[in-house]
Amino acid sequence: MSRLAYVNGRYLPHGQAVVHIEDRGYQFADGVYEVCAVLGGCLIDRDFHLERLERSLAALAIPKPMSRAALLVVLGEVVRRNHIVDGLLYLQVTRGVAKRDHLVPAGLRPALVVTARRIDLAALDAKAARGIAVKTLAEIRWRRRDIKAIGLLPNVMAKQEAHAAGAAEAWFVDDDGLVTEGASTNAWIVNAGGQLVTRALSHAILAGVTRRALLGTAADLGLAVVERAFTPAEAMAAREAFITSATAFVTPVIRIDESPVGDGRPGPIAMRLRLAYLEQARAGRGAHANHA
Ligand code: PDD
């Protein structure tokens, strides 16, 4: 079965899906994106993703490529035509095609690309059951990390550096010595009192959709959450640590740099949250009712 991609109004075979060389996304990383999990053929937290997409577009004054209703049709078609049961949907909106000039010309038509691929849920579950290591690195990104912009070079570099050190994720540490977030995930710890701690929303981090939904899951499980920043030292001394994203769901962290977290095994609270999160997501319950 061949993969299809949506490119500016057309569904094309993946290998023939191309954009113009003067697309501003290509030249300036002038665009935004979303990654949305698909479970059982449903887009998880669809409305949260669309809300964030609209916020990112508005922050950069890129017009919406189409109405929310029309976009939902396209997203559904890409999932359906690719026969995705469990997978990931990627959507990217760039400012459009124009002669290379930093100044944005008037009247540009935004470009929309949507792709989807399958994921191996069993492999992701196995990874979570093992837990991952993270490596702390200096925060070198720009100051509008709340915008889900496609310019991800620092994130790519950080992920590479973490990988070279045997870690699956990098945690950025800002000039105040506080963890901002991961290269492609939000960062959490469980403190000695059993409270979940994750950095409060601001321009410093991406407002993760999984983070948002998990706040609901935590409330459903009666777990207290404190939204504040923490240092790597606090995380290393924490009972548990974990990351969240549309691709990792909830994945336990068992080592930060050279320090094991807790007893060096995935924590029970993180694993409980993962299970509850996935169960609610699949059923469209709790905070996930927005994808039903
Ligand atoms: N990354 N922080 C950053 C920097 C991210 O890139 C992401 C998502 C998150 C988690 O957000 P969410 O829960 O909405 O996935 C936090 C996606 C998955 C990616 O770039 O592949």
Side-chain angles (χ1 to χ4, degrees):
M1 204 252 338
S2 59
R3 277 180 82 193
L4 291 175
Y6 174 92
V7 186
N8 295 325
R10 295 195 297 163
Y11 296 91
L12 298 169
H14 201 268
Q16 291 163 33
V18 292
V19 294
H20 196 280
I21 54 167
E22 291 212 291
D23 186 285
R24 289 180 62 96
Y26 183 56
Q27 293 182 329
F28 295 109
D30 188 355
V32 302
Y33 76 107
E34 283 294 326
V35 180
C36 184
V38 181
L39 293 175
C42 290
L43 291 170
I44 303 304
D45 299 326
R46 184 190 81 178
D47 291 355
F48 290 174
H49 283 284
L50 294 185
E51 265 176 42
R52 186 174 63 191
L53 173 69
E54 286 167 11
R55 276 205 314 276
S56 295
L57 289 170
L60 298 176
I62 298 176
K64 287 203 276 182
M66 57 180 67
S67 70
R68 212 190 251 214
L71 184 56
L72 278 176
V73 172
V74 171
L75 302 185
E77 277 299 293
V78 171
V79 171
R80 193 180 64 79
R81 291 183 190 220
N82 285 289
H83 306 284
I84 304 290
V85 179
D86 297 325
L88 290 174
L89 181 102
Y90 178 80
L91 92 86
Q92 174 171 310
V93 181
T94 58
R95 200 180 298 272
V97 175
K99 166 171 71 69
R100 188 181 181 283
D101 184 346
H102 290 66
L103 201 59
V104 176
L108 276 193
R109 209 152 31 101
L112 171 65
V113 170
V114 186
T115 60
R117 66 177 172 85
R118 285 160 201 214
I119 52 169
D120 182 351
L121 266 187
L124 290 178
D125 283 341
K127 186 173 177 184
R130 286 193 303 273
I132 62 153
V134 304
K135 179 170 173 51
T136 60
L137 290 170
E139 177 66 87
I140 58 165
R141 296 175 299 161
W142 71 330
R143 294 191 194 173
R144 288 303 307 272
R145 277 112 50 182
D146 57 313
I147 302 171
K148 200 160 173 57
I150 58 175
L152 290 174
L153 258 190
N155 310 58
V156 168
M157 287 165 65
K159 201 73 117 178
Q160 284 296 121
E161 198 172 333
H163 179 75
E169 179 59 306
W171 274 5
F172 288 117
V173 180
D174 67 15
D175 290 346
D176 298 324
L178 298 165
V179 174
T180 50
E181 62 183 335
S184 63
T185 57
N186 287 113
W188 302 65
I189 58 173
V190 181
N191 69 16
Q195 291 172 318
L196 308 184
V197 183
T198 194
R199 190 161 175 141
L201 297 185
S202 69
H203 287 176
I205 64 167
L206 185 75
V209 163
T210 318
R211 176 191 180 283
R212 180 174 176 183
L214 198 70
L215 292 175
T217 309
D220 292 344
L221 295 181
L223 296 167
V225 181
V226 188
E227 294 184 65
R228 64 160 175 84
F230 52 82
T231 62
E234 186 181 359
M236 288 168 192
R239 248 163 64 178
E240 298 184 28
F242 61 91
I243 57 169
T244 56
S245 75
T247 50
F249 305 123
V250 177
T251 297
V253 171
I254 56 170
R255 184 162 59 81
I256 299 168
D257 296 337
E258 300 315 318
S259 297
V261 178
D263 62 3
R265 283 184 305 211
I269 293 178
M271 289 309 271
R272 206 164 127 225
L273 280 167
R274 179 182 175 90
L275 270 182
Y277 173 87
L278 284 170
E279 194 187 290
Q280 290 189 335
R282 280 206 187 84
R285 280 192 288 108
H288 304 282
N290 71 85
H291 79 259

